[in-house]
Amino acid sequence: MAKYIFITGGVVSSLGKGLTSGAVGCLLEARGLRIGIQKLDPYINVDPGTMSPYEHGEVYVTDDGTETDLDLGHYERFTNTPLNRLSNSTTGSIYDSVIRRERAGGYLGKTVQVVPHITNEIKDCILRMAEQDLDVVITEIGGTVGDIESLPFLEAIRQFGHEQGRDRVMYMHLTLLPYLRATGEVKTKPTQHSVGKLREIGIQPDVLIYRTEKSVDAEVRSKISLFCNVPDDAVFEEKDVDHSIYELPIILAKQGLDELILKRLQLPRSESDLSEWERLVDIIVNQLDGEIEIAVVGKYIELHDAYKSVYEALTHAGIENRARVKFRKVEAEELEDEGVEVLEGVHGILVPGGFGKRGIEGMILAARYARENKIPFFGICLGLQIAVIEFARNACHMKGANSTEFDAKCAVPVIDLMDEQLDVTDKGGTMRLGAYACRVKPKSLAFELYGEETISERHRHRWEVNNKYLEKLEAHGLKPSGINPDKNLVEIIEIPEHPFYISCQFHPEFKSKPIKPHPVFGGFVAAAIEHQKNSARPSGTARPSKHVEKGAEERGE
């Protein structure tokens, strides 16, 4: 029977519960245990699929097409556990399920209440996760202890411990120890109040993990232990890491967190094997020789979490190539206003996913700049569509080439709405979502990178390359090197005459791990390193597109 670990957070949000959950999963997998990880989020949206990146950051997508919280990306990067629709539930999805059951007469006329009906549904989400033949289920509770919206989830996990037995349930609480620079003190009072709130609800933490920018001595740890009623050996420190978040499993293992979990939950005491992570950290700390700069040209650049998986995948590829990757975050609208000078000197250009018309012309400028100046280019989802539009306008001289997403009446819709999307009206969960097969053409850059003819990647989009214009695009040098075999949709495009120019309709960043970087990201970073070596001077030297005015692309200039 599965054992259960619940991870809550206190004091402030964005402490890193997702990273901690992933690290705990990593430690248990290193002990040979089968784990599952899920996140229960307190917001009322049914899922994050309709939420703005400014509100929520990126939407992470699982193989089965579930749109989830971005913390699930941390889970997959730190562990090997497969994630699915059971891995993320929200207040909205919980209430939706309960209300639908009530409408169908499922409660036999009873008054439907938060307790027991909502809390029972929350507990059912946890139990359904455990049905996957797991040793341990790790459940992260979103939000911060003390928030009104988190109360039903906290009440549900309190009941869960009571019903399942405390020998099968473990509560971890992550808090912050703020450092006051003016006095040189680390303060424990917020942590004491946070644990006090939990205890009012009826949850006594078994483990307390505190985030801090400054390590504390044994006296402070003993004070935390005493006032929070947590044993000394169950108080753990998460100091801000010196080099990389991927140090976290090793940091917690050195403090004995995995040993404590095995003992507390009476799990098999097999030896730990963190050798892969130790090698990874050694590379990060000691073996990264040079530094390259990648321009990420997007429309949500000011919010790092909007492209979280992209940045992480670039970092993984840098580690694989023994180079530090520096990000030049370029706002697409800034490119429109200031011109391609903002891209001077970069060693690679990446255009990530997104929706809507804002910033599109800036992204098109970036794609043209990379194509004409032989700078490594990588487009993802919207980035592929941008690459096709740019090529159609400027290489094929197709006046008015555009996407019907940005101009429904454009003269040359090289990007068009998928047939299956024509009658879709609801926004949430209705895109082309999840893993789809792609057939990679031999003798292509894509095949060189993947090393196989059939791949599977995750999607999240509504618009696709319009096959009506493929012949003309190919005649001018754009190669569709990856095709969906079921619907003949273009999945990958490249330019063989370019040192490295590739784009994909799917989101490869979702499948990249620090231990196993994604091959396209690996190839992109390797090409950027090669570009850096071959550049006698900064890569923006030749700039035929420097002063391309807005709208000039439509005229084929």
Side-chain angles (χ1 to χ4, degrees):
M1 296 176 69
K3 305 296 177 70
Y4 301 88
I5 297 173
F6 295 103
I7 298 179
T8 57
V11 183
V12 295
S13 60
S14 301
L15 273 180
K17 293 193 303 297
L19 288 170
T20 301
S21 300
V24 170
C26 176
L27 294 180
L28 295 181
E29 282 191 341
R31 295 281 187 164
L33 296 170
R34 297 160 300 175
I35 64 138
I37 314 184
Q38 63 181 174
K39 183 173 185 184
L40 304 181
D41 266 314
Y43 50 76
I44 297 176
N45 304 67
V46 173
D47 58 49
T50 58
M51 296 170 71
S52 163
Y54 293 109
E55 291 278 334
H56 190 76
E58 76 175 2
V59 176
Y60 194 80
V61 179
T62 58
D63 271 352
D64 67 354
T66 305
E67 294 175 292
T68 75
D69 182 80
L70 61 82
D71 275 330
L72 272 72
H74 293 311
Y75 304 165
E76 284 208 316
R77 289 187 280 271
F78 276 94
T79 74
N80 297 308
T81 182
L83 303 181
N84 52 44
R85 62 182 178 81
L86 301 176
S87 304
N88 194 196
S89 296
T90 67
T91 293
S93 66
I94 297 292
Y95 271 79
D96 183 56
S97 179
V98 169
I99 289 170
R100 282 204 250 169
R101 189 176 300 129
E102 183 272 332
R103 293 287 82 188
Y107 296 107
L108 302 177
K110 290 187 177 181
T111 301
V112 179
Q113 298 175 290
V114 174
V115 180
H117 302 100
I118 297 298
T119 53
N120 282 348
E121 183 64 24
I122 294 170
K123 289 183 288 185
D124 284 345
C125 289
I126 300 163
L127 291 170
R128 283 194 292 270
M129 189 75 178
E131 290 173 359
Q132 300 176 100
D133 192 25
L134 303 173
D135 296 312
V136 182
V137 173
I138 301 166
T139 302
E140 175 191 348
I141 307 298
T144 305
V145 169
D147 293 345
I148 292 174
E149 56 263 36
S150 296
L151 286 174
F153 292 97
L154 296 174
E155 170 61 17
I157 66 172
R158 181 200 68 78
Q159 294 175 17
F160 197 92
H162 175 73
E163 293 163 359
Q164 296 291 325
R166 288 295 279 111
D167 59 326
R168 297 183 57 215
V169 173
M170 189 173 190
Y171 299 107
M172 292 187 183
H173 190 53
L174 179 67
T175 71
L176 174 70
L177 295 189
Y179 174 60
L180 302 184
R181 293 185 181 276
T183 60
E185 294 178 291
V186 173
K187 308 302 289 186
T188 66
K189 189 65 71 177
T191 290
Q192 295 174 39
H193 284 307
S194 182
V195 173
K197 276 287 183 186
L198 263 184
R199 292 167 70 183
E200 285 176 16
I201 295 165
I203 297 173
Q204 169 60 52
D206 300 297
V207 168
L208 195 145
I209 303 173
Y210 59 85
R211 279 290 308 276
T212 180
E213 63 175 287
K214 186 178 178 64
S215 288
V216 300
D217 56 27
E219 183 179 350
V220 174
R221 290 168 71 109
S222 294
K223 180 180 180 181
I224 294 170
S225 168
L226 177 65
F227 283 92
C228 296
N229 198 35
V230 177
D232 268 350
D233 65 354
V235 178
F236 294 87
E237 179 174 282
E238 275 190 15
K239 182 178 175 292
D240 294 349
V241 292
D242 295 323
H243 302 283
S244 168
I245 58 172
Y246 300 118
E247 299 175 68
L248 188 54
I250 294 173
I251 290 171
L252 294 175
K254 285 180 178 178
Q255 296 178 65
L257 178 59
D258 50 343
E259 281 287 348
L260 180 66
I261 293 171
L262 298 182
K263 181 179 178 181
R264 171 68 178 73
L265 293 177
Q266 300 175 38
L267 292 162
R269 306 290 288 275
S270 56
E271 288 296 316
S272 174
D273 181 8
L274 286 170
S275 56
E276 283 188 327
W277 288 89
E278 289 165 351
R279 281 195 295 271
L280 176 74
V281 171
D282 180 62
I283 292 171
I284 294 170
V285 175
N286 301 311
Q287 300 182 40
L288 299 186
D289 299 326
E291 180 178 271
I292 60 165
E293 187 172 20
I294 301 295
V296 179
V297 182
K299 55 175 66 182
Y300 318 114
I301 284 299
E302 63 267 41
L303 183 66
H304 186 83
D305 280 352
Y307 304 118
K308 183 67 175 176
S309 291
V310 170
Y311 294 131
E312 290 303 313
L314 286 169
T315 299
H316 305 161
I319 294 167
E320 181 182 48
N321 286 282
R322 303 298 192 269
R324 299 185 190 281
V325 178
K326 180 182 177 183
F327 308 124
R328 186 183 297 186
K329 300 177 180 180
V330 179
E331 177 62 55
E333 288 180 295
E334 178 187 351
L335 249 177
E336 293 179 24
D337 295 334
E338 299 185 19
V340 294
E341 290 93 335
V342 298
L343 296 174
E344 285 186 10
V346 298
H347 307 117
I349 296 172
L350 186 150
V351 176
F355 298 93
K357 186 176 181 179
R358 184 177 62 83
I360 293 302
E361 296 303 323
M363 296 179 197
I364 289 172
L365 277 174
R368 182 176 186 180
Y369 180 74
R371 180 175 61 83
E372 294 182 344
N373 290 279
K374 306 299 183 184
I375 300 170
F377 177 83
F378 186 11
I380 297 174
C381 196
L382 175 62
L384 174 140
Q385 298 169 13
I386 290 297
V388 170
I389 295 169
E390 188 282 319
F391 192 86
R393 291 179 182 180
N394 301 307
C396 303
H397 306 292
M398 298 163 70
K399 185 178 179 181
N402 211 334
S403 166
T404 54
E405 179 184 6
F406 317 133
D407 180 1
K409 297 180 180 179
C410 64
V412 185
V414 289
I415 305 295
D416 203 1
L417 190 66
M418 300 174 66
D419 289 343
E420 63 197 56
Q421 293 288 320
L422 292 173
D423 297 322
V424 171
T425 54
D426 286 349
K427 299 295 184 185
T430 58
M431 285 185 269
R432 188 174 191 239
L433 294 166
Y436 288 87
C438 173
R439 187 173 61 248
V440 180
K441 293 182 179 179
K443 298 181 181 179
S444 66
L445 174 59
F447 184 81
E448 180 184 329
L449 295 171
Y450 279 101
E452 50 190 316
E453 289 190 25
T454 301
I455 61 171
S456 175
E457 294 280 8
R458 300 175 195 174
H459 296 66
R460 185 173 185 258
H461 63 106
R462 299 185 194 277
W463 276 263
E464 265 281 357
V465 175
N466 190 339
N467 287 348
K468 175 182 175 182
Y469 298 97
L470 267 185
E471 186 176 344
K472 187 168 183 179
L473 292 167
E474 288 188 73
H476 285 79
L478 189 73
K479 179 177 182 176
S481 56
I483 303 292
N484 174 262
D486 299 318
K487 297 193 175 183
N488 196 35
L489 300 174
V490 174
E491 299 275 27
I492 307 172
I493 60 102
E494 56 189 69
I495 300 177
E497 299 302 315
H498 193 284
F500 189 99
Y501 194 103
I502 193 168
S503 298
C504 50
Q505 186 57 70
F506 45 78
H507 288 268
E509 68 270 26
F510 292 153
K511 297 186 77 170
S512 185
K513 296 174 181 282
I515 300 295
K516 188 180 180 182
H518 192 281
V520 182
F521 277 92
F524 174 59
V525 168
I529 293 171
E530 190 65 22
H531 178 79
Q532 181 190 47
K533 290 177 181 177
N534 293 337
S535 298
R537 48 184 177 159
S539 56
T541 300
R543 298 192 305 273
S545 306
K546 178 177 178 181
H547 297 297
V548 174
E549 59 185 285
K550 293 181 189 177
E553 292 88 348
E554 283 89 343
R555 299 194 298 271
E557 298 175 9

